[in-house]
Amino acid sequence: INQVYYPREGRKHYVPAMFEPEQLEVLMSGGKYEYILDRNCLQFEPDHPLYIRTSEIVYNHINKNNNFDALHSTRHFGPMVFYLCWSKQIDEFIVHQILHRNLGGAAHAVKLYTIINQDKSIVVSEDDLKTVENFANSGAARRQGKTKMALDKIK
């Protein structure tokens, strides 16, 4: 109905085939994450179920394949990190940040995780390294060993 009264340039009045899960897999295998998410923003409102489904599929694919850099410096990076914190899948992202020598980014992700999930078991300190270590030693880390190994690698 919004399209009838408030048309947006580029928005189709039907759901394009690219938003079908099979087509998304084809596009994601080519690394077209930003294109998919840009089209998602154009085609749907943020509260639309297809918008949410498409975003989740893309974020999960990025997380599964460790392609976090594909969205770095785009408008989709923050929402991806928020989604990973919200769904408690932040471990791979934190390891990625650590291995790319971005301890500050890893600590910010841990802080966001504690705020979103109201997790009091993780002690957040001023020291980024200590904050990430506290996350790695907490029950919130799904892959404690991998996070600890990444921290040992940069020490």
Side-chain angles (χ1 to χ4, degrees), residues 51-106:
Y51 177 91
I52 295 167
R53 183 191 75 184
T54 303
S55 296
E56 288 178 350
I57 289 171
V58 172
Y59 297 152
N60 287 329
H61 191 272
I62 289 171
N63 191 36
K64 182 177 142 192
N65 296 301
N66 291 323
N67 289 333
F68 302 107
D69 290 335
L71 293 185
H72 197 268
S73 299
T74 69
R75 65 180 176 158
H76 307 293
F77 189 75
M80 177 191 66
V81 175
F82 182 89
Y83 170 76
L84 294 174
C85 289
W86 181 265
S87 61
K88 298 181 179 181
Q89 300 179 45
I90 198 70
D91 297 86
E92 293 296 331
F93 178 75
I94 289 174
V95 169
H96 177 80
Q97 293 295 312
I98 293 168
L99 293 177
H100 283 82
R101 305 267 186 220
N102 187 2
L103 203 56

Side-chain angles (χ1 to χ4, degrees), residues 3-144:
Q3 182 61 12
V4 173
Y5 294 106
Y6 307 106
R8 285 178 68 183
E9 188 176 329
R11 182 179 283 184
K12 310 286 186 219
H13 64 279
Y14 57 90
V15 177
M18 72 172 281
F19 292 108
E20 296 301 321
E22 303 82 33
Q23 294 297 323
L24 284 174
E25 285 298 323
V26 171
L27 288 169
M28 288 187 297
S29 66
K32 297 187 179 249
Y33 304 116
E34 187 176 8
Y35 173 74
I36 296 167
L37 292 170
D38 283 342
R39 290 282 308 171
N40 198 28
C41 289
L42 179 65
Q43 185 65 35
F44 305 111
E45 296 297 323
D47 61 345
H48 194 280
L50 288 176
Y51 177 91
I52 295 167
R53 183 191 75 184
T54 303
S55 296
E56 288 178 350
I57 289 171
V58 172
Y59 297 152
N60 287 329
H61 191 272
I62 289 171
N63 191 36
K64 182 177 142 192
N65 296 301
N66 291 323
N67 289 333
F68 302 107
D69 290 335
L71 293 185
H72 197 268
S73 299
T74 69
R75 65 180 176 158
H76 307 293
F77 189 75
M80 177 191 66
V81 175
F82 182 89
Y83 170 76
L84 294 174
C85 289
W86 181 265
S87 61
K88 298 181 179 181
Q89 300 179 45
I90 198 70
D91 297 86
E92 293 296 331
F93 178 75
I94 289 174
V95 169
H96 177 80
Q97 293 295 312
I98 293 168
L99 293 177
H100 283 82
R101 305 267 186 220
N102 187 2
L103 203 56
H108 286 301
V110 170
K111 291 172 187 173
L112 181 63
Y113 180 91
T114 59
I115 292 168
I116 290 172
N117 296 296
Q118 299 179 352
D119 192 338
K120 304 293 184 205
S121 68
I122 303 169
V123 179
V124 176
S125 70
E126 293 295 320
D127 181 27
D128 292 342
L129 179 61
K130 193 70 177 156
T131 299
V132 177
E133 284 176 343
N134 291 340
F135 173 80
N137 293 324
S138 74
R142 290 183 175 181
R143 300 181 182 220
Q144 290 178 336

